[in-house]
Amino acid sequence: MRNIRILLCDDHTLVRSGFASLLKNEEGMYVISEAENGMEMIQKYYATHPDLIIADIAMPELTGIEAFNKIKETNPDVKILFLSVYYSEQYIYLTLKAGAMGLLNKSITKGELFFAINEVIEGRKYFGPEYNQQKISRLIEKYEHKKKTFLSNEISEFDDKLLYFISEGFTSDQIAKKLFVSKHTIDAHRIKIMGILNLKTEHDLKKYAILYTEGTKI
């Protein structure tokens, strides 16, 4: 059996220790180093050159995706399996566009975790048992169309800033103060964006804002 050397990255110590404990008891899998933020992830990668990075998407200093993009600049073949509590189509699309091989919900079972690791090591994508290659392709087409639809409506610099603040979790009142406009103006733009993208809830808008904001960095 091939030995798989893993760099485990998450800003929550309990999450890291939980995954490390699972992996420690699996033959052929070794956590050779851990990182608690994006900058440390980059440093530990170059110090250890693991076979696989398992990383949270949302980490301080640099997100998991930002750190991954930095590593890819000099090591385009780096393999990464992302973790997130926000497991959804939007996040699958985001990680695919970044070049990741997979995304797992943090509540994943032990058996699926080991299966996903082996799939990625063998060069196959893994986003859950329901996502075969055909479904992944349809998902990419769906969200590419959403982005084109939005961009074709000539997104303004104001809307660009608005989406950034929404993705960071700011309320309409807080965004209004930051952009020196009324709350009514912010709410009007939120409604406009939701209409363009056919988003039904504020939760959907926040998920899209995260997708859009991260997508502009990829």
Coordinates of all heavy atoms in Angstrom, one line a residue, residues 41-125:
M41 N 0.0 27.4 6.0 CA -0.2 26.3 5.1 C 0.8 26.4 4.0 O 1.4 25.3 3.6 CB -1.6 26.4 4.5 CG -1.9 25.5 3.3 SD -3.6 25.6 2.8 CE -3.5 25.3 1.0
I42 N 1.1 27.5 3.5 CA 2.1 27.7 2.4 C 3.5 27.3 3.0 O 4.2 26.6 2.3 CB 2.1 29.1 1.9 CG1 0.8 29.5 1.2 CG2 3.3 29.4 0.9 CD1 0.6 30.9 0.8
Q43 N 3.8 27.8 4.1 CA 5.1 27.6 4.7 C 5.3 26.1 5.0 O 6.4 25.5 4.7 CB 5.3 28.3 6.0 CG 5.3 29.8 5.8 CD 5.0 30.6 7.1 OE1 4.8 30.0 8.2 NE2 5.0 31.9 7.0
K44 N 4.3 25.4 5.5 CA 4.4 24.0 5.9 C 4.5 23.1 4.6 O 5.1 22.1 4.6 CB 3.2 23.6 6.8 CG 3.2 24.2 8.1 CD 4.4 23.7 9.0 CE 4.3 24.3 10.4 NZ 3.2 23.8 11.2
Y45 N 3.8 23.6 3.6 CA 3.8 22.8 2.3 C 5.2 22.8 1.8 O 5.7 21.7 1.4 CB 2.9 23.5 1.2 CG 3.0 22.8 -0.1 CD1 2.3 21.6 -0.4 CD2 3.9 23.3 -1.1 CE1 2.5 20.9 -1.6 CE2 4.0 22.6 -2.3 CZ 3.3 21.4 -2.5 OH 3.5 20.8 -3.7
Y46 N 5.9 23.9 1.7 CA 7.3 24.0 1.1 C 8.3 23.3 2.1 O 9.3 22.8 1.6 CB 7.7 25.4 0.8 CG 7.0 25.9 -0.4 CD1 6.0 26.9 -0.3 CD2 7.2 25.4 -1.7 CE1 5.3 27.4 -1.4 CE2 6.6 25.9 -2.8 CZ 5.6 26.9 -2.7 OH 5.0 27.3 -3.8
A47 N 7.9 23.2 3.4 CA 8.9 22.6 4.3 C 8.7 21.1 4.2 O 9.7 20.3 4.5 CB 8.6 23.1 5.7
T48 N 7.6 20.6 3.9 CA 7.4 19.1 4.0 C 7.0 18.4 2.6 O 7.2 17.2 2.5 CB 6.2 18.8 4.9 OG1 5.0 19.4 4.4 CG2 6.5 19.3 6.3
H49 N 6.6 19.2 1.6 CA 6.2 18.6 0.3 C 5.3 17.4 0.5 O 5.7 16.3 0.1 CB 7.4 18.3 -0.5 CG 8.2 19.6 -0.9 ND1 7.9 20.4 -1.9 CD2 9.3 20.1 -0.3 CE1 8.7 21.4 -1.9 NE2 9.6 21.2 -1.0
P50 N 4.1 17.6 1.0 CA 3.2 16.4 1.2 C 2.6 15.9 -0.1 O 2.7 16.6 -1.1 CB 2.1 17.0 2.1 CG 2.0 18.5 1.6 CD 3.5 18.9 1.4
D51 N 2.0 14.7 -0.1 CA 1.3 14.2 -1.2 C 0.0 14.8 -1.4 O -0.6 14.9 -2.5 CB 1.2 12.7 -1.1 CG 2.5 11.9 -0.9 OD1 3.4 12.1 -1.8 OD2 2.6 11.2 0.1
L52 N -0.6 15.3 -0.3 CA -2.0 15.8 -0.3 C -2.1 16.9 0.8 O -1.6 16.7 1.9 CB -3.0 14.7 -0.1 CG -4.5 15.1 0.1 CD1 -5.0 15.6 -1.3 CD2 -5.3 13.9 0.6
I53 N -2.8 18.0 0.5 CA -3.2 18.9 1.5 C -4.7 18.7 1.7 O -5.5 18.6 0.8 CB -3.0 20.4 1.0 CG1 -1.6 20.7 0.6 CG2 -3.5 21.4 2.0 CD1 -1.3 22.0 -0.1
I54 N -5.1 18.7 3.0 CA -6.5 18.7 3.4 C -6.7 20.0 4.1 O -6.0 20.2 5.2 CB -6.9 17.5 4.3 CG1 -6.7 16.2 3.5 CG2 -8.3 17.6 4.7 CD1 -7.0 14.9 4.3
A55 N -7.5 20.9 3.6 CA -7.6 22.3 4.2 C -9.0 22.8 4.2 O -9.8 22.6 3.3 CB -6.7 23.2 3.3
D56 N -9.2 23.5 5.3 CA -10.5 24.3 5.4 C -10.5 25.4 4.4 O -9.4 26.0 4.1 CB -10.6 24.9 6.8 CG -11.9 25.5 7.1 OD1 -12.8 25.4 6.3 OD2 -12.0 26.2 8.2
I57 N -11.6 25.7 3.8 CA -11.7 26.9 2.9 C -11.5 28.2 3.6 O -10.8 29.1 3.2 CB -13.1 26.9 2.2 CG1 -13.2 25.7 1.2 CG2 -13.3 28.2 1.4 CD1 -14.5 25.7 0.4
A58 N -12.2 28.3 4.8 CA -12.2 29.6 5.5 C -11.1 29.6 6.6 O -11.4 29.0 7.7 CB -13.6 29.9 6.1
M59 N -10.0 30.2 6.4 CA -8.9 30.3 7.4 C -8.5 31.8 7.4 O -8.6 32.5 6.5 CB -7.8 29.4 7.1 CG -8.1 27.9 7.2 SD -6.6 26.9 7.1 CE -6.1 27.1 5.4
P60 N -7.9 32.2 8.6 CA -7.4 33.6 8.7 C -6.1 33.8 7.9 O -5.5 32.9 7.5 CB -7.2 33.7 10.2 CG -7.0 32.3 10.7 CD -7.8 31.4 9.9
E61 N -5.8 35.1 7.8 CA -4.6 35.6 7.1 C -4.8 35.4 5.6 O -4.8 36.3 4.8 CB -3.3 35.0 7.6 CG -3.1 35.3 9.1 CD -1.7 35.1 9.5 OE1 -0.7 35.0 8.7 OE2 -1.5 34.9 10.7
L62 N -4.8 34.1 5.1 CA -5.2 33.8 3.8 C -6.2 32.7 3.8 O -6.1 31.8 4.7 CB -4.0 33.3 3.0 CG -2.9 34.3 2.6 CD1 -1.8 33.6 1.8 CD2 -3.4 35.4 1.7
T63 N -7.2 32.7 3.0 CA -8.2 31.6 2.9 C -7.5 30.4 2.4 O -6.4 30.5 1.8 CB -9.4 31.9 2.0 OG1 -9.0 32.0 0.7 CG2 -10.1 33.2 2.4
G64 N -8.1 29.2 2.5 CA -7.5 28.0 2.0 C -7.3 28.1 0.5 O -6.3 27.6 -0.1
I65 N -8.3 28.7 -0.2 CA -8.2 28.9 -1.7 C -7.1 29.9 -2.1 O -6.3 29.6 -3.0 CB -9.6 29.3 -2.2 CG1 -10.5 28.2 -2.2 CG2 -9.4 29.8 -3.7 CD1 -11.9 28.5 -2.7
E66 N -6.9 31.0 -1.3 CA -5.9 31.9 -1.6 C -4.5 31.2 -1.4 O -3.6 31.4 -2.3 CB -6.0 33.1 -0.7 CG -7.2 34.0 -1.1 CD -7.4 35.1 -0.1 OE1 -7.1 34.9 1.1 OE2 -8.0 36.2 -0.4
A67 N -4.3 30.5 -0.3 CA -3.1 29.8 -0.1 C -2.8 28.8 -1.2 O -1.7 28.6 -1.6 CB -3.1 29.2 1.3
F68 N -3.8 28.0 -1.6 CA -3.7 27.0 -2.6 C -3.2 27.7 -3.9 O -2.4 27.2 -4.6 CB -5.0 26.3 -2.8 CG -5.1 25.3 -3.9 CD1 -4.1 24.3 -4.0 CD2 -6.1 25.4 -4.8 CE1 -4.2 23.4 -5.1 CE2 -6.2 24.4 -5.9 CZ -5.3 23.4 -6.0
N69 N -3.8 28.8 -4.3 CA -3.4 29.5 -5.5 C -2.0 30.0 -5.5 O -1.3 29.9 -6.5 CB -4.3 30.8 -5.7 CG -5.7 30.4 -6.2 OD1 -5.9 29.3 -6.8 ND2 -6.7 31.2 -5.9
K70 N -1.5 30.4 -4.3 CA -0.1 30.8 -4.1 C 0.8 29.6 -4.4 O 1.8 29.7 -5.1 CB 0.2 31.3 -2.7 CG -0.5 32.6 -2.4 CD 0.2 33.8 -3.0 CE -0.4 35.1 -2.5 NZ 0.3 36.3 -3.2
I71 N 0.5 28.4 -3.8 CA 1.3 27.2 -4.0 C 1.3 26.8 -5.5 O 2.3 26.4 -6.0 CB 0.8 26.1 -3.1 CG1 1.0 26.4 -1.6 CG2 1.4 24.8 -3.4 CD1 0.3 25.5 -0.6
K72 N 0.1 26.9 -6.1 CA 0.0 26.4 -7.5 C 0.9 27.2 -8.4 O 1.3 26.8 -9.5 CB -1.4 26.6 -8.0 CG -2.3 25.5 -7.6 CD -3.6 25.4 -8.4 CE -4.3 26.8 -8.4 NZ -5.5 26.8 -9.3
E73 N 1.3 28.4 -8.1 CA 2.1 29.3 -8.9 C 3.5 28.6 -9.2 O 4.0 28.7 -10.3 CB 2.4 30.6 -8.3 CG 1.1 31.5 -8.2 CD 1.3 32.8 -7.5 OE1 2.5 33.1 -7.0 OE2 0.4 33.6 -7.3
T74 N 4.0 27.8 -8.2 CA 5.3 27.1 -8.4 C 5.1 25.6 -8.5 O 6.0 24.9 -8.9 CB 6.3 27.5 -7.3 OG1 5.6 27.3 -6.0 CG2 6.6 29.0 -7.4
N75 N 4.0 25.1 -8.0 CA 3.7 23.7 -8.0 C 2.3 23.4 -8.5 O 1.4 23.1 -7.7 CB 3.8 23.1 -6.5 CG 5.3 23.2 -6.0 OD1 6.0 22.3 -6.1 ND2 5.6 24.3 -5.4
P76 N 2.1 23.5 -9.8 CA 0.8 23.3 -10.4 C 0.1 22.0 -10.2 O -1.1 21.8 -10.4 CB 1.0 23.6 -11.9 CG 2.5 23.4 -12.1 CD 3.2 23.7 -10.8
D77 N 0.9 21.0 -9.9 CA 0.4 19.6 -9.7 C 0.0 19.3 -8.2 O -0.4 18.2 -7.9 CB 1.4 18.6 -10.1 CG 1.7 18.7 -11.6 OD1 0.8 19.0 -12.4 OD2 2.8 18.4 -12.0
V78 N 0.0 20.3 -7.4 CA -0.3 20.1 -6.0 C -1.8 19.6 -5.9 O -2.6 20.1 -6.6 CB -0.1 21.4 -5.1 CG1 -0.9 22.5 -5.7 CG2 -0.5 21.2 -3.7
K79 N -2.0 18.6 -5.0 CA -3.3 18.0 -4.8 C -3.9 18.6 -3.5 O -3.2 18.6 -2.5 CB -3.3 16.5 -4.8 CG -3.0 15.9 -6.1 CD -3.0 14.3 -6.0 CE -2.9 13.7 -7.4 NZ -1.6 13.8 -8.0
I80 N -5.2 19.0 -3.5 CA -5.8 19.5 -2.3 C -7.2 19.0 -2.2 O -7.9 18.9 -3.3 CB -5.8 21.0 -2.3 CG1 -6.2 21.5 -0.9 CG2 -6.7 21.6 -3.4 CD1 -5.8 23.0 -0.7
L81 N -7.6 18.7 -1.0 CA -9.0 18.3 -0.7 C -9.5 19.3 0.3 O -9.0 19.4 1.4 CB -9.0 16.9 -0.1 CG -10.3 16.1 0.1 CD1 -11.1 16.0 -1.2 CD2 -10.0 14.7 0.6
F82 N -10.5 20.1 -0.1 CA -11.0 21.1 0.8 C -12.1 20.6 1.8 O -12.8 19.6 1.5 CB -11.6 22.3 0.0 CG -10.6 23.2 -0.5 CD1 -10.4 23.4 -1.8 CD2 -9.8 24.0 0.4 CE1 -9.4 24.3 -2.3 CE2 -8.9 24.9 -0.1 CZ -8.7 25.0 -1.5
L83 N -12.1 21.2 3.0 CA -13.1 21.0 4.0 C -14.0 22.2 4.2 O -13.5 23.3 4.1 CB -12.5 20.6 5.3 CG -11.5 19.4 5.4 CD1 -10.8 19.4 6.7 CD2 -12.3 18.1 5.1
S84 N -15.2 22.0 4.5 CA -16.1 23.2 4.8 C -17.3 22.8 5.5 O -17.8 21.7 5.3 CB -16.5 23.9 3.5 OG -17.3 25.1 3.9
V85 N -17.8 23.6 6.5 CA -19.1 23.4 7.1 C -20.2 23.8 6.1 O -21.4 23.4 6.2 CB -19.3 24.1 8.4 CG1 -18.3 23.5 9.4 CG2 -19.0 25.6 8.3
Y86 N -19.8 24.7 5.1 CA -20.8 25.2 4.1 C -20.6 24.3 2.8 O -20.0 24.8 1.8 CB -20.5 26.6 3.8 CG -20.6 27.5 5.0 CD1 -19.5 28.1 5.6 CD2 -21.8 27.7 5.6 CE1 -19.6 28.9 6.7 CE2 -21.9 28.6 6.8 CZ -20.8 29.1 7.3 OH -20.9 29.9 8.4
Y87 N -21.2 23.1 2.9 CA -21.1 22.2 1.7 C -22.3 22.5 0.8 O -23.4 22.2 1.2 CB -21.0 20.8 2.2 CG -20.9 19.8 1.1 CD1 -19.7 19.5 0.5 CD2 -22.0 19.1 0.6 CE1 -19.6 18.5 -0.5 CE2 -21.9 18.2 -0.4 CZ -20.7 17.9 -1.0 OH -20.6 17.0 -2.0
S88 N -22.1 23.0 -0.4 CA -23.2 23.3 -1.2 C -22.7 23.4 -2.7 O -21.5 23.3 -2.9 CB -23.8 24.7 -0.9 OG -22.9 25.7 -1.1
E89 N -23.6 23.5 -3.6 CA -23.2 23.6 -5.0 C -22.3 24.8 -5.3 O -21.3 24.7 -6.0 CB -24.4 23.8 -5.9 CG -25.2 22.5 -6.2 CD -26.2 22.7 -7.3 OE1 -26.5 23.8 -7.7 OE2 -26.8 21.6 -7.8
Q90 N -22.6 25.9 -4.6 CA -21.7 27.1 -4.8 C -20.3 26.9 -4.4 O -19.4 27.3 -5.1 CB -22.3 28.3 -4.0 CG -23.6 28.9 -4.6 CD -24.8 28.3 -4.0 OE1 -24.8 27.2 -3.5 NE2 -25.9 29.0 -4.0
Y91 N -20.1 26.2 -3.3 CA -18.8 25.9 -2.8 C -18.1 24.8 -3.6 O -16.9 24.9 -3.8 CB -18.8 25.5 -1.3 CG -18.9 26.7 -0.4 CD1 -20.1 27.3 -0.1 CD2 -17.7 27.2 0.2 CE1 -20.2 28.4 0.7 CE2 -17.8 28.3 1.0 CZ -19.0 28.9 1.3 OH -19.1 30.0 2.1
I92 N -18.8 23.9 -4.2 CA -18.3 22.9 -5.1 C -17.7 23.6 -6.3 O -16.6 23.4 -6.8 CB -19.3 21.8 -5.5 CG1 -19.6 21.0 -4.2 CG2 -18.8 21.0 -6.6 CD1 -20.7 20.0 -4.4
Y93 N -18.6 24.5 -6.9 CA -18.1 25.3 -8.0 C -16.9 26.1 -7.7 O -15.9 26.2 -8.5 CB -19.3 26.2 -8.5 CG -18.9 27.2 -9.6 CD1 -18.7 26.8 -10.9 CD2 -18.6 28.5 -9.3 CE1 -18.4 27.7 -11.9 CE2 -18.2 29.4 -10.2 CZ -18.1 29.0 -11.5 OH -17.7 29.9 -12.5
L94 N -16.9 26.8 -6.6 CA -15.8 27.6 -6.2 C -14.5 26.8 -6.1 O -13.4 27.3 -6.7 CB -16.1 28.3 -4.8 CG -15.0 29.1 -4.2 CD1 -14.6 30.3 -5.1 CD2 -15.4 29.6 -2.8
T95 N -14.5 25.7 -5.5 CA -13.3 24.9 -5.4 C -12.9 24.2 -6.7 O -11.7 24.1 -7.0 CB -13.5 23.8 -4.3 OG1 -14.7 23.0 -4.6 CG2 -13.6 24.4 -2.9
L96 N -13.8 23.9 -7.5 CA -13.5 23.4 -8.9 C -12.8 24.4 -9.7 O -11.8 24.2 -10.3 CB -14.8 23.0 -9.6 CG -15.3 21.6 -9.3 CD1 -16.8 21.5 -9.8 CD2 -14.5 20.5 -9.9
K97 N -13.3 25.7 -9.7 CA -12.7 26.8 -10.4 C -11.3 27.0 -9.9 O -10.4 27.5 -10.7 CB -13.5 28.0 -10.3 CG -14.9 27.9 -11.1 CD -14.7 27.6 -12.5 CE -14.2 28.8 -13.3 NZ -14.0 28.6 -14.8
A98 N -11.0 26.8 -8.6 CA -9.7 27.0 -8.1 C -8.7 25.9 -8.5 O -7.5 26.1 -8.4 CB -9.8 27.1 -6.5
G99 N -9.3 24.8 -9.0 CA -8.4 23.7 -9.4 C -8.3 22.6 -8.3 O -7.5 21.7 -8.5
A100 N -9.2 22.6 -7.3 CA -9.2 21.6 -6.3 C -9.7 20.2 -6.8 O -10.5 20.2 -7.8 CB -10.0 22.0 -5.1
M101 N -9.3 19.2 -6.2 CA -9.7 17.8 -6.6 C -11.0 17.4 -5.8 O -11.6 16.4 -6.2 CB -8.6 16.8 -6.3 CG -7.3 17.1 -7.1 SD -7.6 16.8 -8.9 CE -7.7 15.1 -9.0
G102 N -11.3 18.1 -4.7 CA -12.5 17.7 -4.0 C -12.9 18.6 -2.9 O -12.1 19.5 -2.5
L103 N -14.1 18.4 -2.4 CA -14.6 19.2 -1.3 C -15.4 18.2 -0.4 O -16.2 17.5 -0.9 CB -15.5 20.3 -1.8 CG -16.3 21.1 -0.7 CD1 -15.3 21.9 0.2 CD2 -17.3 22.0 -1.3
L104 N -15.2 18.3 0.9 CA -15.9 17.4 1.9 C -16.6 18.3 2.9 O -16.0 19.3 3.4 CB -14.9 16.5 2.6 CG -14.0 15.6 1.7 CD1 -13.0 14.8 2.5 CD2 -14.9 14.6 0.9
N105 N -17.7 17.8 3.3 CA -18.4 18.4 4.5 C -17.6 17.9 5.7 O -17.2 16.8 5.8 CB -19.8 17.9 4.5 CG -20.7 18.7 5.5 OD1 -20.3 18.8 6.7 ND2 -21.8 19.2 5.1
K106 N -17.5 18.8 6.7 CA -16.7 18.5 7.9 C -17.4 17.4 8.7 O -16.7 16.8 9.6 CB -16.5 19.7 8.8 CG -15.4 20.6 8.2 CD -15.0 21.7 9.2 CE -14.0 22.6 8.6 NZ -13.6 23.7 9.6
S107 N -18.6 17.1 8.4 CA -19.3 16.0 9.2 C -19.2 14.7 8.4 O -20.0 13.7 8.7 CB -20.8 16.4 9.3 OG -21.5 16.5 8.1
I108 N -18.3 14.6 7.5 CA -18.1 13.4 6.7 C -17.8 12.2 7.5 O -17.2 12.3 8.6 CB -17.0 13.6 5.7 CG1 -16.9 12.5 4.6 CG2 -15.6 13.8 6.4 CD1 -15.9 12.7 3.5
T109 N -18.2 11.0 7.1 CA -17.9 9.7 7.8 C -16.5 9.3 7.6 O -15.9 9.8 6.6 CB -18.8 8.6 7.3 OG1 -18.6 8.3 5.9 CG2 -20.3 8.9 7.5
K110 N -16.0 8.5 8.5 CA -14.6 8.1 8.4 C -14.3 7.3 7.1 O -13.3 7.6 6.4 CB -14.3 7.2 9.6 CG -12.8 6.7 9.6 CD -12.5 5.9 10.9 CE -13.3 4.7 11.0 NZ -12.9 3.9 12.2
G111 N -15.3 6.5 6.7 CA -15.1 5.7 5.5 C -15.1 6.5 4.2 O -14.2 6.3 3.3
E112 N -15.9 7.5 4.2 CA -15.9 8.4 3.0 C -14.7 9.3 2.9 O -14.2 9.6 1.9 CB -17.2 9.3 3.0 CG -17.4 10.0 1.7 CD -18.6 10.8 1.6 OE1 -19.4 10.8 2.5 OE2 -18.8 11.5 0.5
L113 N -14.2 9.7 4.1 CA -12.9 10.5 4.2 C -11.8 9.7 3.5 O -11.1 10.2 2.7 CB -12.6 10.8 5.6 CG -11.2 11.5 5.8 CD1 -11.1 12.8 5.1 CD2 -10.9 11.6 7.3
F114 N -11.6 8.4 3.9 CA -10.5 7.6 3.4 C -10.7 7.4 1.9 O -9.8 7.4 1.1 CB -10.5 6.3 4.2 CG -10.2 6.4 5.6 CD1 -10.6 5.5 6.5 CD2 -9.4 7.5 6.1 CE1 -10.3 5.6 7.9 CE2 -9.2 7.7 7.5 CZ -9.6 6.7 8.4
F115 N -12.0 7.1 1.5 CA -12.3 6.9 0.1 C -11.9 8.1 -0.7 O -11.3 8.1 -1.8 CB -13.8 6.6 -0.1 CG -14.1 6.3 -1.5 CD1 -13.9 5.1 -2.2 CD2 -14.8 7.3 -2.3 CE1 -14.2 4.9 -3.5 CE2 -15.1 7.1 -3.6 CZ -14.8 5.9 -4.2
A116 N -12.3 9.3 -0.2 CA -12.0 10.6 -0.9 C -10.5 10.8 -1.1 O -10.1 11.2 -2.1 CB -12.7 11.7 -0.2
I117 N -9.8 10.6 0.0 CA -8.3 10.7 -0.1 C -7.7 9.9 -1.1 O -6.9 10.3 -1.9 CB -7.7 10.4 1.3 CG1 -8.1 11.5 2.3 CG2 -6.2 10.3 1.2 CD1 -7.7 11.2 3.8
N118 N -8.1 8.6 -1.2 CA -7.6 7.7 -2.2 C -8.0 8.1 -3.6 O -7.2 8.0 -4.5 CB -8.0 6.3 -1.9 CG -7.2 5.6 -0.8 OD1 -6.0 5.5 -0.8 ND2 -7.9 5.2 0.3
E119 N -9.2 8.6 -3.8 CA -9.6 9.0 -5.1 C -8.8 10.2 -5.6 O -8.3 10.2 -6.7 CB -11.1 9.5 -5.1 CG -12.1 8.3 -5.0 CD -12.1 7.5 -6.3 OE1 -12.7 8.0 -7.2 OE2 -11.6 6.4 -6.3
V120 N -8.5 11.2 -4.7 CA -7.8 12.3 -5.1 C -6.3 12.0 -5.4 O -5.7 12.5 -6.3 CB -7.9 13.4 -4.0 CG1 -6.9 14.6 -4.2 CG2 -9.3 14.0 -4.0
I121 N -5.8 11.1 -4.5 CA -4.4 10.7 -4.8 C -4.2 10.0 -6.1 O -3.2 10.1 -6.8 CB -3.9 9.8 -3.6 CG1 -3.7 10.6 -2.3 CG2 -2.7 9.0 -4.0 CD1 -2.5 11.6 -2.4
E122 N -5.3 9.3 -6.5 CA -5.2 8.6 -7.8 C -5.6 9.5 -9.0 O -5.6 9.1 -10.1 CB -6.2 7.4 -7.8 CG -5.8 6.3 -6.9 CD -4.5 5.7 -7.2 OE1 -4.2 5.5 -8.4 OE2 -3.7 5.4 -6.3
G123 N -5.8 10.8 -8.7 CA -6.0 11.8 -9.8 C -7.5 11.9 -10.1 O -7.8 12.5 -11.2
R124 N -8.4 11.4 -9.3 CA -9.8 11.5 -9.6 C -10.5 12.6 -8.6 O -10.1 12.6 -7.5 CB -10.5 10.2 -9.5 CG -10.1 9.2 -10.5 CD -10.8 7.9 -10.4 NE -10.5 7.1 -9.2 CZ -9.5 6.2 -9.2 NH1 -8.8 6.0 -10.2 NH2 -9.2 5.6 -8.0
K125 N -11.4 13.3 -9.2 CA -12.1 14.3 -8.3 C -13.2 13.6 -7.4 O -13.7 12.6 -7.8 CB -12.9 15.3 -9.2 CG -11.9 16.2 -10.0 CD -12.8 17.2 -10.8 CE -11.9 18.3 -11.5 NZ -11.0 17.6 -12.6

